[in-house]
Amino acid sequence: MDESGCRIHNRLWRRESGPYNIEVNVTLEETIIENAYLPLGGHSKPENCTALQKIAIVIPFRNREPHLKIWLYNMHPFLQKQQADYGIYVVEQHGESKFNRAKLMNVGFSEAIKEYDYNCFIFSDVDIIPMDQRNLYRCSTNPKHMANSLDKFNFRLLYQTLFGGIVAFTKEQFLKVNGFSNMFWGWGGEDDELYERVIAAKMKIERPNPKISKSKAILHVRDVGNERNRKSIPLIKKAGIRMHRDGLSSLNYTIISTTKHRLYTKVTVDIGHPE
Ligand code: UDH
């Protein structure tokens, strides 16, 4: 897919692009004032062209308000400069059971497609913010790993199959792998399992040039309720065998509420607990 509808404008921002100052001392009030023209739900599209990609950004969430505020403050202008047609879905896990990042991503995908004709999905942690305006938040011919150059890892790829932090899938690519596994409770492994799905589905992964995809990861301690998952390795090994019965096709959840905030749509969901 290309962005022909917005080509002229893309050229304009390319010329003015470059390092980008991330603002971390922000209040939610300031963020709302800066973006007062946005319709409720945080959905924005370019005024003078039709973007071919309609992008849902899905953020897994629980108790990370300070990070969400910083993400929203920086990312709305960033995405608008890229002439993106995008909506923001913050998918909040209800209750106290172990955090399940991957299942929340599946819920975000399933809820977003009910609202708009999205054809690109960017699954992003709430605490990673791009440092360069040239880092295109778009889908590509292959699933794309976008968190390949983080400041906290000295802008290096930790290991070759790393697929965590931010990934972008077209709708077709995501359906082809049946989404994420629903079976990863606690921290770690679900991203490696998704990588195995991509390979099992005979796709490759792409990464942007690490000089351009430099991003800031906000440092934090491990969250309560997101302790390391010690059951992930056997699941990762059998990803290819399990993927067609564990994922979007087996997803069950109960929506507690869907709220259209000024800057994002918040979906609060009960996703159950580990078996
Ligand atoms: N999250 C919450 N609340 C929680 C836990 C996680 O909102 O209680 C969300 C949030 O969007 C966060 C994401 O889940 O950004 C990932 O969780 P994390 O921030 O704890 O993950 P971390 O920064 O990931 O530790 C680093 C991954 C690099 C190594 C990958 C190896 N597979």
Side-chain angles (χ1 to χ4, degrees), residues 60-62 64 99 125-127 152 159 187 191 220 223:
F61 185 82
R62 186 165 69 184
R64 289 284 197 97
F99 197 70
D125 285 356
V126 72
D127 50 13
K152 70 174 177 182
Y159 53 96
W187 185 90
D191 47 353
H220 62 88
D223 302 89

Side-chain angles (χ1 to χ4, degrees), residues 145-160:
H145 177 227
M146 299 174 65
N148 60 326
S149 184
L150 301 183
D151 58 351
K152 70 174 177 182
F153 301 141
N154 267 335
F155 305 108
R156 295 217 178 92
L157 194 62
L158 270 195
Y159 53 96
Q160 264 315 313

